[in-house]
Amino acid sequence: MPVTVTYWAEHAWTDPAVESGVVVDVADGRITAVRTDVPAPPPGAVTLRGLTLPGLANAHSHAFHRALRGRTQVGSGTFWTWREVMYHASQNLTPDSYFALARAVYAEMALAGITCVGEFHYVHHAPGGTPYGDPNAMGEALTEAAAAAGIRITLLDTAYLSSGFGEPPNHHQLRFSDGTADAWADRLSAFKPADGGHVRIGAAVHSVRAVPADGLATVAAWAEEREAPLHVHLSEQTAENDACRAAHGCTPARLLADHGVLGPRTTAVHATHLTDEDIALLGGSGTGTCMCPTTERDLADGIGPAVALQRAGSPLSLGSDSHAVIDLLEEARAMELNERLRTRTRGHWTAAALLRAATADGHAALGWPGAGRLEAGALADFTTLALDSVRTAGPLPRLGAETAVFAGTGADIRHTVVGGRHVVRDGVHQLVPDVPRALADAIADLTTA
């Protein structure tokens, strides 16, 4: 049923300022009007105490990686040893178990103020590579899980065809692979989500090592024909850069550019180890960059050149990726603080710019340009941060953006509204009442299978 409701926000970030007494009128899932300086809630309005922000967009997620939290923190290792643990976790997924896990993970995201997720999805088939009766059963499980958790999803269906340059998939990767880029495109073209109102379908190149060069144009063309988002892991590891140079005589960014992958609807994820030419290629083409600082630091990947990329023309978004934590405010904070450590200077982004990366620019990267803003006509997706927790108490409300980014956490989220509907109310998820138990049960089923 269409939702018609009025919300009264005690304070709200309307980009770039924080206003007090903000009325947000909602009808049919969209904001119809925003009024400021309203000192008290109008009759019948739903009160949101604290600082209301546009809904946060998690632009890069692998939902099943949530099962690795804690398990991969034991001892030392590298990205490559972490990857072996990830492969083992992926082998026990079924459509049913993936639905249960993803529903809990997406509910955790809603509790952290996330209203839209970009799911970088590559576990397509049964172990050994045998397609399910419905070849898109795993993608359907993810889109249904997002609906059950009350958030929007862009399913970034991922082409993953090889284990390295010129190498076939290993036994773990067989369930990721469709065999060829054309077969990937055929399978995805047949995917029609059961309930498409909360879903966008996009495409992804897992990486230049996982999609042969002659298949890159096929993936890019699929996205271009549908004006769909296209995402790609780029230069996360120096080993990938070295292998690409050995195979093709160029960097991964140059290879992507030469095969038509870069452009305004494309987002490069990580982009950690780039040359100056790579940065110019991404910025000059309008390709976005999704930074995932909590994962990049957890895996010791490095600090990407986010400042240089943005200056070159690449819009920035944020993602929680491996879900070492799920907290977009921490991702925003980490992007700035990482740069401070690297340069020993402060203030590379304002709090407003960091919030923009977590909201409007993240939604744009996921193909939802009508979300991420508190303004008439936008999707009625927003979240409210408490300003009276032990982390956020004290600063003046007009410093709410700075408080949110540099002090607040996902634990301070009190309300999350998606399409005008209250998904999280007073810190309690309305569709998944016991999210910790749902997570524990889903992870136990997966890791003991």
Side-chain angles (χ1 to χ4, degrees), residues 334-375:
M335 189 164 70
E336 166 67 24
L337 298 187
N338 285 353
E339 195 66 21
R340 292 183 185 184
L341 286 174
R342 190 181 69 82
T343 63
R344 292 184 291 172
T345 60
R346 305 176 74 206
H348 302 277
W349 293 276
T350 64
L354 293 166
L355 284 177
R356 206 168 296 126
T359 56
D361 290 346
H363 281 96
L366 296 177
W368 297 89
R373 297 177 177 84
L374 293 179
E375 60 183 37

Side-chain angles (χ1 to χ4, degrees), residues 281-426:
L281 285 172
L282 267 63
S285 62
T287 300
T289 304
C290 179
M291 305 301 292
C292 306
T294 65
T295 291
E296 288 147 8
R297 73 190 184 195
D298 180 55
L299 298 181
D301 287 342
I303 300 171
V307 172
L309 282 161
Q310 189 168 56
R311 286 175 178 167
S314 179
L316 298 179
S317 56
L318 297 164
S320 63
D321 190 6
S322 68
H323 310 316
V325 297
I326 294 177
D327 189 339
L328 262 287
L329 297 176
E330 174 62 19
E331 303 293 345
R333 174 163 56 246
M335 189 164 70
E336 166 67 24
L337 298 187
N338 285 353
E339 195 66 21
R340 292 183 185 184
L341 286 174
R342 190 181 69 82
T343 63
R344 292 184 291 172
T345 60
R346 305 176 74 206
H348 302 277
W349 293 276
T350 64
L354 293 166
L355 284 177
R356 206 168 296 126
T359 56
D361 290 346
H363 281 96
L366 296 177
W368 297 89
R373 297 177 177 84
L374 293 179
E375 60 183 37
L379 291 171
D381 300 353
F382 39 90
T383 189
T384 303
L385 180 87
L387 293 180
D388 57 359
S389 78
V390 293
R391 288 165 293 275
T392 61
L396 295 171
R398 64 180 177 81
L399 299 175
E402 288 76 11
T403 303
V405 170
F406 293 106
T409 73
D412 297 312
I413 296 298
R414 293 294 174 264
H415 303 279
T416 301
V417 173
V418 182
R421 291 181 170 86
H422 232 127
V423 176
V424 174
R425 186 189 295 266
D426 295 320

Side-chain angles (χ1 to χ4, degrees), residues 233-246:
H233 288 139
L234 176 64
S235 293
E236 184 177 3
Q237 297 291 322
T238 55
E240 177 184 286
N241 291 354
D242 295 342
C244 188
R245 287 190 179 96

Side-chain angles (χ1 to χ4, degrees), residues 250-251 253-254 257-258 262 274-284:
C250 64
T251 66
R254 169 50 69 184
D258 289 348
L262 303 185
L274 302 182
T275 67
D276 290 344
E277 181 190 11
D278 294 339
I279 293 169
L281 285 172
L282 267 63

